[in-house]
Amino acid sequence: MKMTPSASLLMLLLLSLSQAHPLQRKENKEGDGIDTVDITTRILTTNEVANETLLEGDVLIPRTRSAKICLDQSCRWKKSSNGLVMIPFTINSDFTSTDRQVISQAMQAFHSTTCIRFVPHQNEKDYISIENQGGCFSPLGRMGGKQVLSLNRQGCIYQGVAEHELNHALGFVHEHTRSDRDNYVRINWENTDPQQAYNFDKSSTDNLDTPYDYSSIMHYGKTAFSVNGWDTITPIPDSDIQIGQINGLSQWDIFRINKLYSCE
């Protein structure tokens, strides 16, 4: 059912009130508590040994085109006649049953709040292959054919990390690189590793008429790519705002997925 304009406005107001409070989920592999390590540490530390060339720490560089510019919608997954966006996937045999449970829980977070459905691959041409490679990374959006989403067993099997990489596969960039980020955060270039500074380049993004979300699962922490341990990302105007959570999709993450894919 489509929302009326007044209902849509009410939803935006409610979401803005809950913006700083992402959905809370158990994160560690044993499932006995909330993870206290931020998503930047989880992903970037694991990716230090990755063999791939990555943008922004965990985005696989496309070899044929950029998924950030998608004027013809070719980098979006297609909606089925039933109104659901069916995304085929395979999962490598390297993963244990516990690993698979964590990944399944991450997928369920999308199933329960959006029209996205991750379904076992059959004979579809385009699909995601979840593999135990040397890091946590994903292409940006639908690239065509088999596209690898890596969740290294030694550092990436956390529900929040899996949700982060799956959201990249849907086409979403990091929050701190969106086109209007300079209005909301300051990049402290003097604290940034010069060899990693390109990871803070702004992206050409469709922000879907939604506010900047410090609580997004796609936002890195304050010391990402720091060369001296000091903050590289400072929220404006309140530097005490917490960023870089790993507990799951925020309410605005969910809202954007539903808007981008016209979920009803």
Side-chain angles (χ1 to χ4, degrees):
M1 181 180 296
K2 294 184 176 180
M3 292 189 293
T4 64
S6 59
S8 297
L9 178 59
L10 178 59
M11 177 63 74
L12 286 170
L13 290 173
L14 290 173
L15 285 173
S16 64
L17 290 174
S18 62
Q19 176 176 337
H21 303 282
L23 298 181
Q24 298 295 308
R25 299 188 183 88
K26 290 184 178 180
E27 282 303 316
N28 61 336
K29 287 180 281 189
E30 293 75 19
D32 59 2
I34 296 296
D35 194 2
T36 58
V37 179
D38 67 65
I39 201 162
T40 308
T41 301
R42 285 289 179 213
I43 293 177
L44 299 186
T45 301
T46 303
N47 287 356
E48 287 178 355
V49 296
N51 294 323
E52 297 285 348
T53 301
L54 304 172
L55 290 175
E56 300 175 22
D58 71 332
V59 177
L60 193 62
I61 295 178
R63 290 175 168 78
T64 56
R65 61 173 176 78
S66 172
K68 293 180 181 178
I69 300 175
C70 190
L71 299 179
D72 60 358
Q73 300 301 304
S74 61
C75 67
R76 305 285 181 252
W77 297 89
K78 305 301 181 183
K79 181 179 285 188
S80 303
S81 58
N82 61 5
L84 299 176
V85 179
M86 314 293 280
I87 303 179
F89 75 95
T90 60
I91 185 166
N92 190 272
S93 60
D94 288 349
F95 294 102
T96 67
S97 59
T98 301
D99 298 336
R100 290 169 182 266
Q101 182 179 13
V102 173
I103 296 169
S104 177
Q105 289 171 343
M107 291 179 173
Q108 185 58 42
F110 292 86
H111 297 178
S112 63
T113 56
T114 75
C115 64
I116 303 298
R117 298 293 185 273
F118 295 98
V119 297
H121 175 255
Q122 296 181 4
N123 57 3
E124 298 89 352
K125 175 184 176 182
D126 301 339
Y127 67 100
I128 295 172
S129 176
I130 301 175
E131 301 182 8
N132 172 34
Q133 294 197 8
C136 326
F137 55 81
S138 170
L140 195 59
R142 181 174 68 89
M143 303 300 296
K146 171 186 174 180
Q147 60 186 68
V148 173
L149 185 157
S150 174
L151 293 173
N152 181 270
R153 291 199 63 245
Q154 301 305 312
C156 309
I157 306 301
Y158 297 85
Q159 187 175 331
V161 172
E163 289 180 34
H164 179 102
E165 300 305 339
L166 288 169
N167 214 29
H168 275 319
L170 293 180
F172 289 92
V173 303
H174 291 128
E175 190 73 358
H176 53 279
T177 64
R178 60 183 262 176
S179 58
D180 62 349
R181 67 101 187 276
D182 290 338
N183 296 324
Y184 304 97
V185 296
R186 181 177 69 253
I187 304 302
N188 303 310
W189 300 105
E190 68 277 12
N191 298 332
T192 303
D193 182 346
Q195 295 184 339
Q196 301 293 336
Y198 67 91
N199 289 300
F200 286 123
D201 289 346
K202 287 187 293 185
S203 303
S204 176
T205 57
D206 177 0
N207 298 322
L208 299 169
D209 295 319
T210 59
Y212 192 90
D213 184 12
Y214 297 104
S215 68
S216 173
I217 192 68
M218 308 308 290
H219 207 306
Y220 276 173
K222 293 181 178 181
T223 59
F225 304 109
S226 178
V227 72
N228 53 19
W230 294 3
D231 289 357
T232 55
I233 308 175
T234 300
I236 300 172
D238 185 357
S239 61
D240 291 331
I241 294 175
Q242 296 301 307
I243 60 176
Q245 61 89 16
I246 195 175
N247 295 323
L249 297 169
S250 73
Q251 296 292 350
W252 280 116
D253 289 330
I254 293 168
F255 183 89
R256 289 170 185 159
I257 295 167
N258 285 323
K259 186 168 185 179
L260 182 66
Y261 283 95
S262 300
C263 300
E264 297 180 354

